[in-house]
Amino acid sequence: MINKNFVSSLEASVQQLKDDNVYKRLNYLESPQSAHVKMEGRGDVLILSSNNYLGLCDQPEVVSAGIKGLEKFGAGTGSVRFICGTFTVHRELEHALAALVGTEASLSYVSCWNANEGLTASIAQEGDLVLSDALNHASIIDSLRLAKSITKCTTGVYAHSDMDDLRAKLKAGSSARRRIIWTDGVFSMEGSIAKLPEILQIARDHDAIVVMDDSHATGVLGKTGRGTAEHFGVLGEVDAITSTLGKALGGAAGGFVAGPEALCDMLTQRSRPQLFSNALPPTVAASALASVNYLTSHPDRVTLLRENTRYFRGSIEEAGFKPLAGETPIVPIIVGETSAAIRMSDMLLAQGVFVTGFGFPVVPQGQARVRCQISASHSRDDLDRAVAAITSVGRQLGIIS
Ligand SMILES: *Cc1c(COP(=O)(O)O)cnc(C)c1O
């Protein structure tokens, strides 16, 4: 018999989340991720909360590559790569990813979470200093925690995009053996871009290493979607880049670390998710490879994404909202209280528009927001419909007049 106390205490915790209005309800989809989806019990819904930036989740070339990968390689290796063999499609994918983000090599993982988690502990040692931007993704935060407990390296957090704070903390750590700076390329709750050129300069001044998680930028930023480094014209200058295959690049799953050959080789030897967990399923690797190839041969998708973003930002400002300024397809509309963000999101869904609201503690108190995300797959009609719905709900809630 299972432990009843365990179950009842879990039930009480879940009830508390419901009482606090922070319980997450899942919406089930009956069709592929796209600009519109078929949502169980709701029918056609317009999605403005997906990371499907390039609309590749249901791109025919991406889907058929996955089917072919499954047929050619089967479901998977049945073990980890160094024990049982790795597939040629993984090597092909890793070459394509490295070429895309402008590094010598790359190594794939089942998720960017895994890639990040394994990285810090593999490159830091006791006596090293690892600094992280205050708004970095949860996977980076956990990566530092893990590295600290495994290696006894020193970790620290600098204020978000505060270059003076970063400089001061590096200076204080000048006796460290190795200094590592971790930053997101694009910060997901703000839609803001890291000050990469300054971070690189500061890193050179203080003999530090820059590791950038480009999950929201790969396929999105830069003229041809090569990410934050392309956006700033510094391709090839970042020591290590991590990113996901679960957003713009097909949206299935998977992540990677890209950098010098020696780094990827070292991670193959040392990184624990690489050593103790299976590789990306070949069907996913094949779809991701097709996504990279699609992006490379269709840079117009990136242009379309940028134009859609500009159009949506302009329309939403015209309607009287004040979205956080920026140029990424993440457009957060600040509504104030957490309850307002949740109500706005619920009311929009009732009108057939799916946008997620975020409140405290995910974002600071009083800065709750609905976060709109634009895709190249949105038509102008879709964007107009979204703006009309957001405007009508915004008026009902008194957020705009
Ligand atoms: C989404 C995201 C991740 C996680 O990616 P997965 O491949 O889904 O694990 C990691 N880092 C950042 C910055 C992200 O936005």
Side-chain angles (χ1 to χ4, degrees):
M1 215 192 346
I2 64 167
N3 188 321
K4 280 196 180 130
N5 286 339
F6 175 55
V7 177
S8 59
S9 80
L10 288 175
E11 284 167 351
S13 303
V14 169
Q15 189 54 48
Q16 189 62 53
L17 295 176
K18 288 179 178 167
D19 294 347
D20 294 346
N21 280 325
V22 291
Y23 180 79
K24 296 170 184 63
R25 270 167 232 284
L26 302 180
N27 293 301
Y28 287 87
L29 309 182
E30 301 170 325
S31 67
Q33 186 65 251
S34 195
H36 292 253
V37 295
K38 201 171 154 213
M39 190 177 283
E40 191 181 67
R42 286 192 191 273
D44 181 87
V45 169
L46 173 60
I47 298 242
L48 262 87
S49 53
S50 163
N51 300 314
N52 182 23
Y53 293 119
L54 297 174
L56 295 183
C57 289
D58 62 344
Q59 185 68 35
E61 292 90 328
V62 172
V63 176
S64 70
I67 294 168
K68 286 196 196 106
L70 185 61
E71 283 169 352
K72 178 168 180 187
F73 296 103
T77 47
S79 182
V80 300
R81 288 167 78 165
F82 87 93
I83 295 176
C84 235
T86 181
F87 289 116
T88 49
V89 68
H90 289 118
R91 184 175 54 205
E92 227 183 307
L93 171 66
E94 286 159 359
H95 285 162
L97 290 169
L100 177 69
V101 304
T103 60
E104 199 176 37
S106 88
L107 186 67
S108 64
Y109 286 79
V110 290
S111 67
C112 184
W113 185 286
N114 267 262
N116 286 351
E117 191 176 77
L119 182 54
T120 314
S122 304
I123 57 173
Q125 293 178 14
E126 187 168 4
D128 291 354
L129 173 67
V130 189
L131 293 174
S132 175
D133 186 287
L135 291 190
N136 275 347
H137 190 261
S139 55
I140 300 172
I141 297 172
D142 280 19
S143 177
L144 262 70
R145 288 176 177 155
L146 202 56
K148 188 175 177 176
S149 86
I150 294 175
T151 71
K152 300 191 172 58
C153 64
T154 304
T155 61
V157 173
Y158 60 94
H160 173 53
S161 283
D162 184 335
M163 297 296 107
D164 290 335
D165 195 28
L166 173 60
R167 254 185 231 103
K169 292 205 155 87
L170 282 168
K171 212 167 164 193
S174 60
S175 62
R177 187 195 71 114
R178 179 181 276 173
R179 282 156 296 281
I180 300 167
I181 304 166
W182 254 112
T183 183
D184 276 7
V186 168
F187 294 88
S188 62
M189 285 299 145
E190 318 291 304
S192 59
I193 307 174
K195 296 174 180 169
L196 184 59
E198 285 177 77
I199 293 172
L200 289 171
Q201 186 56 53
I202 292 168
R204 300 304 162 243
D205 293 345
H206 293 84
D207 186 25
I209 295 157
V210 177
V211 184
M212 176 173 72
D213 178 344
D214 231 15
S215 289
H216 280 283
T218 306
V220 173
L221 284 191
K223 194 169 185 312
T224 60
R226 298 175 71 186
T228 306
E230 186 187 26
H231 174 82
F232 285 114
V234 293
L235 274 169
E237 293 181 36
V238 183
D239 298 287
I241 294 172
T242 71
S243 190
T244 185
L245 305 172
K247 292 186 169 111
L249 295 180
F256 61 94
V257 175
E261 185 79 51
L263 172 65
C264 297
D265 204 3
M266 195 61 198
L267 291 171
T268 303
Q269 313 305 315
R270 286 283 185 78
S271 152
R272 289 167 72 82
Q274 198 64 229
L275 295 180
F276 297 103
S277 184
N278 277 12
L280 203 56
T283 174
V284 177
S287 280
L289 175 59
S291 299
V292 177
N293 290 339
Y294 190 91
L295 166 62
T296 311
S297 54
H298 297 81
D300 49 300
R301 272 287 171 110
V302 183
T303 311
L304 182 57
L305 172 62
R306 195 171 303 123
E307 282 167 1
N308 275 355
T309 300
R310 206 172 289 145
Y311 180 78
F312 180 79
R313 278 184 180 278
S315 309
I316 213 82
E317 279 169 8
E318 222 166 88
F321 291 99
K322 292 186 180 60
L324 292 183
E327 45 190 318
T328 69
I330 298 172
V331 187
I333 301 176
I334 306 293
V335 300
E337 291 312 308
T338 302
S339 56
I342 290 170
R343 281 210 62 205
M344 187 159 181
S345 168
D346 288 347
M347 287 165 79
L348 283 168
L349 189 54
Q351 293 199 21
V353 179
F354 190 13
V355 193
T356 310
F358 292 92
F360 183 77
V362 178
V363 295
Q365 196 81 259
Q367 288 184 41
R369 59 201 65 183
V370 294
R371 185 182 66 168
C372 304
Q373 288 173 279
I374 306 307
S375 168
S377 64
H378 288 131
S379 66
R380 286 292 153 103
D381 271 359
D382 290 335
L383 298 176
D384 288 342
R385 211 185 115 206
V387 171
I390 294 168
T391 304
S392 119
V393 168
R395 286 210 184 104
Q396 286 175 61
L397 289 175
I399 295 162
I400 52 166
S401 51

